[in-house]
Amino acid sequence: MHEIQVHNTLSGKIEPFVPLEAGVVHMYTCGPTVYDFAHIGNFRTFVFQDILRRFLKLRGFKLIHVMNLTDVDDRIIANAAAAGLGIREYTEKYVQAFFADCRTMSVESPEHWIRATENIQSMVELIQKLQKKTYTYDSEGSIYYRITKFKDYGKLSKIDLSGIQAGARVDNDRYEKESARDFALWKAPKPGEHFWETTIGPGRPGWHIECSAMAMKFLGETIDIHTGGIDLAFPHHENEIAQSEAATGKPFVRYWMHAEHLLVEGEKMSKSLGNFFTLRDLFGKGYKPSALRFALASVPYRRQLNFTFDGLQQATSSVERLRNFAARLKNEKFPAGKQAAMAERIAKAASDFDAGLSDDLNTAQALAAMFDFVREANIAMDKGEFRQGEVKTAQEFLATFEKVFAVLEDNDAEKLEALGYGGNEGSPADAEIEKLVAERQAARKRKDFAESDRIREVLSERGIILEDTKDGSVRWKRK
Ligand code: AMP
Ligand code: ZN
């Protein structure tokens, strides 16, 4: 086994990973802001942290991992008020959708799921600590953090603070580096907004205090790993450090790990740009959860990932190749005996796989180790050189792989059905079929036969037969 090394945003370096308490990893992940369905960009980050936790477990660590649900922030407050709903009522739908999405994407449940709205008292107490240490000031019922008082402010995101005006404030939870300002810990209620009545006055927490308070409550004052997408490094994580370290005087996080963005045509996939797909958008087009998970996991987390349908199609084939190989190992009759060279080959593949993941979670290298092996083993099988004696070790290697990548088990159909794609004993709804048929017609019209064949295949896999008629129209029926 190789030494585990990770990139720490705080130092800007690759460092050996050693948890504070031997054998146990305390880890915090900023969860989704539940004001809408998550998009696949969000899931790039969630799949990354899932691969990380699965790898650490594979390497024998006990995980104490917390993921929060940000169920109160500017956008939630605004949307809930606009919809005339309470916060809980408004967010519940998206919380449940997120849990379902995680199950579909084989993103393991962390040891603790926690909601911001259930931890308001811890946030109030943390703000009081900061008040006592004079890191705060009040203005019109809100409480702000004075960033110039915290001498390390900017150490994570390396921002230049020379132009900062003392006392300039920002009320929004999300803002750019250029507007680094004193930020709100506690916000006075505006008319019609939901608020909590507390010892520090009526109001609601800022987004940043939520994660500081919850991380320390569940994991202690110094935690091993904190993950999130790169856009959270500033201001969110910078502010988490300022709050936590000012309150405790101790280092808050030992390893900060940030996932680079998923892009669409060179731009970050985001709600505000409108260039996003939810998981359901892709499943509605017939793509499988395993293919999406593979596509998101296959590019190492510190590299930007450009999302394309071609890439997703390739991921589909890659997963198929692996599943076919696993089926071959299970079903084929190989000649009896052992072959030392193949035994060595498997050991090398397993070692290369571990080396890849140990090297700052280099998933591309780990996958290359697997695919090189599969190619060579398939050739050996075709030539009758693969022996029975190697089946078990090869299967063990696949099982190790599966513990981290989780794409081999062929459970896509069940997952899609659980999400409501299927109904009718696994058959897609009529509207969904009509949509795919129309997309196939459009592809045929522009002579994109690869795409029209793909759609036919997708429909066929889901039990739908197409009949092209003489007049160019298409009829479909369930098998
Ligand atoms: P949010 O719900 O906006 O707080 O985001 C949830 C997680 O998704 C955070 O860790 C974000 O950094 C991450 N995220 C948002 N957009 C992207 C993207 N395009 N690519 C990768 N991660 C993202
Ligand atoms: Zn957070």
Side-chain angles (χ1 to χ4, degrees):
M1 278 199 287
H2 302 78
E3 181 182 58
I4 300 177
Q5 311 236 8
V6 298
H7 180 267
N8 188 347
T9 313
L10 188 61
S11 65
K13 293 197 181 104
I14 302 274
E15 301 173 10
F17 173 72
V18 185
L20 204 52
E21 185 186 336
V24 185
V25 178
H26 292 80
M27 173 162 150
Y28 186 88
T29 296
C30 288
T33 308
V34 281
Y35 75 110
D36 202 345
F37 293 103
H39 58 63
I40 60 167
N42 300 132
F43 266 87
R44 199 235 166 156
T45 294
F46 296 128
V47 167
F48 144 66
Q49 61 82 40
D50 183 61
I51 299 270
L52 175 63
R53 63 165 275 137
R54 283 168 173 273
F55 176 57
L56 292 171
K57 276 178 31 184
L58 176 68
R59 289 289 298 261
F61 290 104
K62 174 177 181 283
L63 256 279
I64 305 179
H65 179 198
V66 171
M67 196 184 315
N68 75 300
L69 295 162
T70 298
D71 60 352
V72 49
D73 89 329
D74 292 341
R75 292 171 298 186
I76 291 171
I77 292 271
N79 291 3
L85 294 174
I87 303 243
R88 192 65 181 231
E89 262 177 296
Y90 177 74
T91 54
E92 192 55 23
K93 172 176 162 193
Y94 301 115
V95 170
Q96 293 311 326
F98 183 70
F99 288 159
D101 285 353
C102 285
R103 284 192 297 273
T104 311
M105 292 298 285
S106 299
V107 167
E108 282 187 344
S109 263
E111 281 62 35
H112 303 278
W113 277 116
I114 52 176
R115 288 172 198 244
T117 52
E118 287 174 359
N119 291 281
I120 301 289
Q121 185 52 29
S122 309
M123 298 166 204
V124 167
E125 285 164 19
L126 182 56
I127 294 172
Q128 283 173 322
K129 256 192 192 170
L130 292 169
Q131 283 178 322
K132 274 203 198 92
K133 295 190 167 189
T134 69
Y135 280 93
T136 72
Y137 59 92
D138 298 359
S139 178
E140 294 165 18
S142 294
I143 304 171
Y144 294 89
Y145 187 100
R146 193 189 303 279
I147 59 173
T148 48
K149 166 106 183 166
F150 184 67
K151 65 175 179 11
D152 283 342
Y153 195 83
K155 69 177 173 181
L156 180 71
S157 53
K158 328 283 188 259
I159 56 165
D160 174 14
L161 289 168
S162 54
I164 298 283
Q165 257 179 290
R169 294 188 297 270
V170 54
D171 284 298
N172 296 342
D173 285 331
R174 300 188 185 229
Y175 49 90
E176 302 296 318
K177 276 190 192 181
E178 298 68 49
S179 40
R181 301 271 189 281
D182 293 346
F183 58 91
L185 296 165
W186 188 254
K187 304 191 193 196
K190 296 200 186 86
E193 274 186 4
H194 184 90
F195 64 92
W196 282 263
E197 201 58 76
T198 72
T199 44
I200 54 172
R204 61 180 172 98
W207 174 36
H208 317 298
I209 199 76
E210 294 177 13
C211 284
S212 277
M214 292 187 285
M216 293 199 290
K217 175 173 172 185
F218 287 87
L219 296 168
E221 292 180 340
T222 299
I223 68 182
D224 292 307
I225 304 179
H226 194 314
T227 68
I230 190 68
D231 58 317
L232 299 195
F234 187 89
H236 188 48
H237 294 160
E238 195 69 64
N239 292 350
E240 280 188 41
I241 293 176
Q243 297 163 150
S244 304
E245 298 193 355
T248 67
K250 296 179 189 158
F252 173 44
V253 170
R254 301 175 60 243
Y255 302 89
W256 284 97
M257 295 178 69
H258 291 107
E260 273 296 339
H261 280 146
L262 180 138
L263 309 179
V264 187
E265 285 151 29
E267 286 199 281
K268 177 189 166 193
M269 178 174 284
S270 75
K271 300 262 165 63
S272 51
L273 293 172
N275 61 349
F276 66 93
F277 296 103
T278 63
L279 272 58
R280 286 143 218 258
D281 292 334
L282 299 184
F283 301 150
K285 286 180 187 292
Y287 292 99
K288 293 178 179 172
S290 57
L292 181 57
R293 180 174 165 97
F294 186 96
L296 296 177
S298 59
V299 175
Y301 77 98
R302 284 203 303 126
R303 262 197 252 147
Q304 291 183 333
L305 189 164
N306 197 24
F307 175 79
T308 62
F309 283 97
D310 263 0
L312 198 49
Q313 197 52 46
Q314 279 169 29
T316 308
S317 316
S318 300
V319 171
E320 270 322 293
R321 263 191 88 201
L322 294 177
R323 287 181 181 175
N324 289 341
F325 180 70
R328 224 177 153 178
L329 273 175
K330 188 167 162 219
N331 302 326
E332 249 176 67
K333 284 266 160 286
F334 301 104
K338 287 179 176 254
Q339 198 215 14
M342 184 50 72
E344 268 170 42
R345 183 65 194 84
I346 298 170
K348 180 179 178 325
S351 169
D352 290 351
F353 179 77
D354 183 69
L357 292 177
S358 300
D359 178 11
D360 192 26
L361 230 53
N362 188 336
T363 46
Q365 196 183 318
L367 287 171
M370 172 54 89
F371 280 98
D372 286 350
F373 163 65
V374 168
R375 194 186 57 247
E376 289 171 36
N378 271 326
I379 293 172
M381 287 174 181
D382 294 344
K383 288 194 198 153
E385 287 169 5
F386 194 94
R387 302 297 182 89
Q388 236 168 24
E390 269 70 62
V391 170
K392 192 159 159 278
T393 34
Q395 283 177 330
E396 279 165 3
F397 174 40
L398 287 186
T400 300
F401 169 89
E402 180 71 348
K403 279 192 183 144
V404 180
F405 281 91
V407 293
L408 289 177
E409 193 185 339
D410 193 352
N411 53 8
D412 291 295
E414 289 97 301
K415 283 171 158 180
L416 289 172
E417 206 170 318
L419 260 200
Y421 289 89
N424 259 344
E425 283 108 45
S427 181
D430 291 10
E432 207 188 318
I433 301 167
E434 303 284 1
K435 189 163 159 257
L436 284 167
V437 169
E439 282 181 22
R440 175 170 171 272
Q441 284 291 73
R444 288 174 79 200
K445 228 180 220 150
R446 60 173 194 270
K447 303 215 177 328
D448 183 353
F449 296 114
E451 175 65 5
S452 73
D453 286 350
R454 187 192 70 78
I455 297 175
R456 175 191 278 277
E457 188 57 28
V458 162
L459 284 167
S460 162
E461 272 176 26
R462 299 181 69 187
I464 308 300
I465 301 172
L466 300 184
E467 289 170 1
D468 295 318
T469 61
K470 283 197 193 98
D471 63 3
S473 65
V474 183
R475 275 202 298 268
W476 61 265
K477 60 178 189 212
R478 294 191 159 87
K479 277 182 200 166

